[in-house]
């Protein structure tokens, strides 16, 4: 590998399997195996501000499979697989511009797992969680039914592992895709009728060295299960109803509550970006009572039962806070059996 940072010198590092086998230790060489190629790429990088070249040499083992009579064809397939992998793992960098990856002389085209350019793609709203002071951002997508897109778009959307195996969470860290399509051991299986469900997840927790698996912390599991279940439900409906736009209430949904986790304790805050909260505060400012309304909303945040919002609610109980006002006046917000066990809430 040859690399150069802006204003720096060209650095060379090389893994040589034959050298490693001979020396019986993992040792990096500081020069390439072929002087002519090393000189070529050094000059190429010195002529530009920065960049990286990854060079594969000594591919004599590529045709080890007895079924491969033509090594050139095997090499062509491997290069195609490499291009698919790079276009998926680094697609955000490639989409952002100012950054390119070439295989030989040909640029790699980014592969967008969420088909955001298709009109029939549904984004079910963004949800932000907090874990130990770090943001965890989720964006669930339901991809279009085959009847709503062109044959080429359907082929592209399938991804390297094809439709059914590409469903699930897409886990990113620092814009790099680490896990491409997995239900993260949350109890779900990959099924044909859920293949349109893909969830973007940006995170900051630790993962293993290989970066091939990301097991979510226990503090996030309930929320991830809730979001995955909702996304799968919508995707299943789209699959079965031949692309009819269903469950429109989920589209571009802004969540009322934001979950926070601090010192292993879960609490919720009202989302100031929610249309209802934003409209209330706008009206309060017009009438000069924004401070009083803000204090009232903070009182709600501090006194609301977490069980009423989060997935910890007992089975069969509503997880949404509703207020019903009629001729008989206000009604209790807490089920009777919870009132007996917990402090009540009054407005």
């Amino acid at each position: 590998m040859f690399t150069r940072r802006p204003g720096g010198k060209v650095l060379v590092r090389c893994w040589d399997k034959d050298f490693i086998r001979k020396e019986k230790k993992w040792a990096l060489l500081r020069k390439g195996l072929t002087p002519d190629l090393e000189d070529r790429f050094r000059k190429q990088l010195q002529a530009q501000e920065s960049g990286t070249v990854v060079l594969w040499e000594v591919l004599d083992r590529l045709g080890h499979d007895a079924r491969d009579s033509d090594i050139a064809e095997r090499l062509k397939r491997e290069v195609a697989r490499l291009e698919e992998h790079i276009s998926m793992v680094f697609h955000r960098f490639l989409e952002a511009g100012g950054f390119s990856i070439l295989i030989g002389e040909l640029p790699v085209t980014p592969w967008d797992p969420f088909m955001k350019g298709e009109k029939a793609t549904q984004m079910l709203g963004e949800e932000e969680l907090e874990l130990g002071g770090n943001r965890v951002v989720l964006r669930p997508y339901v991809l279009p039914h085959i009847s709503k897109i062109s044959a080429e778009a359907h082929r592209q959307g399938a991804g390297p592992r094809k439709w059914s195996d590409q469903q699930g969470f897409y886990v990113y860290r620092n814009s790099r895709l680490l896990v491409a399509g997995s239900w993260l051991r949350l109890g779900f299986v990959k099924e044909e009728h859920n293949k349109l469900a893909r969830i973007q997840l940006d995170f900051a927790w630790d993962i293993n060295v290989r970066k091939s698996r990301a097991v979510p912390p226990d503090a996030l599991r309930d929320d991830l299960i809730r979001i995955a279940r909702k996304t799968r439900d919508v995707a299943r409906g789209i699959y079965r109803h031949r692309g009819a736009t269903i469950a429109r209430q989920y589209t571009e949904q802004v969540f009322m509550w934001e979950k926070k986790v601090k010192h292993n304790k879960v609490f919720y805050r009202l989302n100031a970006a929610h249309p209802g909260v934003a409209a209330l505060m706008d009206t309060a400012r017009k009438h000069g009572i924004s401070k009083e309304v803000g204090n009232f909303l903070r009182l709600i945040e501090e006194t609301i039962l977490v069980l009423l919002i989060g997935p910890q609610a007992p089975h069969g109980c509503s997880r949404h806070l509703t207020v019903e006002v009629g001729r008989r006046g206000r009604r209790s917000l807490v089920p009777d059996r919870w009132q007996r066990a917990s402090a009540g809430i009054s407005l």
Side-chain angles (χ1 to χ4, degrees), residues 327-342:
R327 293 181 180 178
R328 297 183 181 180
R330 65 187 180 184
R331 296 182 58 182
S332 172
L333 304 179
V334 187
D336 291 341
R337 55 178 172 162
W338 288 10
Q339 287 186 21
R340 292 193 294 268
S342 307

Side-chain angles (χ1 to χ4, degrees), residues 154-218:
H154 185 263
R155 186 188 68 80
Q156 289 285 345
R161 300 200 309 268
K162 308 310 175 187
W163 279 98
S164 290
D165 201 29
Q166 293 282 179
Q167 64 184 269
F169 287 91
Y170 284 69
V171 183
Y172 295 81
R173 186 169 66 181
N174 296 329
S175 294
R176 178 185 175 185
L177 180 60
L178 301 181
V179 178
S182 169
W183 291 116
L184 304 181
R185 300 186 179 183
L186 296 174
F188 302 106
V189 296
K190 293 185 175 181
E191 300 166 309
E192 174 70 12
H193 52 263
N194 292 314
K195 68 181 183 181
L196 302 179
R198 296 179 185 175
I199 303 171
Q200 177 181 317
L201 190 161
D202 287 87
F203 81 116
W205 69 79
D206 292 332
I207 59 174
N208 65 358
V209 175
R210 291 183 59 197
K211 300 182 180 178
S212 60
R213 292 186 305 173
V215 179
D218 290 341

Side-chain angles (χ1 to χ4, degrees), residues 96-107:
F99 176 88
S100 61
I101 299 177
L102 287 79
I103 297 180
E105 301 296 330
L106 299 177

Side-chain angles (χ1 to χ4, degrees), residues 58 134 148 241 297:
V58 192
N134 296 312
K148 299 293 184 179
H241 292 83
L297 294 180

Side-chain angles (χ1 to χ4, degrees), residues 131-146:
L131 179 68
N134 296 312
R135 296 168 66 243
V136 179
V137 181
L138 295 105
R139 296 183 182 91
Y141 290 87
V142 176
L143 275 54
H145 189 272
I146 186 174

Side-chain angles (χ1 to χ4, degrees), residues 1 10 13 45 111 119 152 162 184 203 220 241 268 306 334:
M1 184 181 76
V10 177
R13 296 293 184 271
L45 289 176
W111 177 69
K119 187 179 296 185
E152 176 60 20
K162 308 310 175 187
L184 304 181
F203 81 116
L220 296 178
H241 292 83
Y268 288 82
V306 171
V334 187

Side-chain angles (χ1 to χ4, degrees), residues 267-285:
F267 59 97
Y268 288 82
R269 290 287 180 261
L270 285 165
N271 183 3
H274 188 278
V277 178
L280 176 62
M281 292 306 300
D282 285 343
T283 302
R285 279 189 288 270

Side-chain angles (χ1 to χ4, degrees), residues 252-295:
E252 299 299 333
Q253 178 179 351
V254 179
F255 295 91
M256 174 69 80
W257 295 94
E258 293 181 321
K259 180 179 178 180
K260 307 290 184 181
V261 181
K262 190 172 183 180
H263 304 307
N264 294 323
K265 292 184 179 180
V266 177
F267 59 97
Y268 288 82
R269 290 287 180 261
L270 285 165
N271 183 3
H274 188 278
V277 178
L280 176 62
M281 292 306 300
D282 285 343
T283 302
R285 279 189 288 270
K286 291 177 182 178
H287 290 80
I289 56 171
S290 58
K291 181 178 180 180
E292 290 79 359
V293 173
N295 290 337

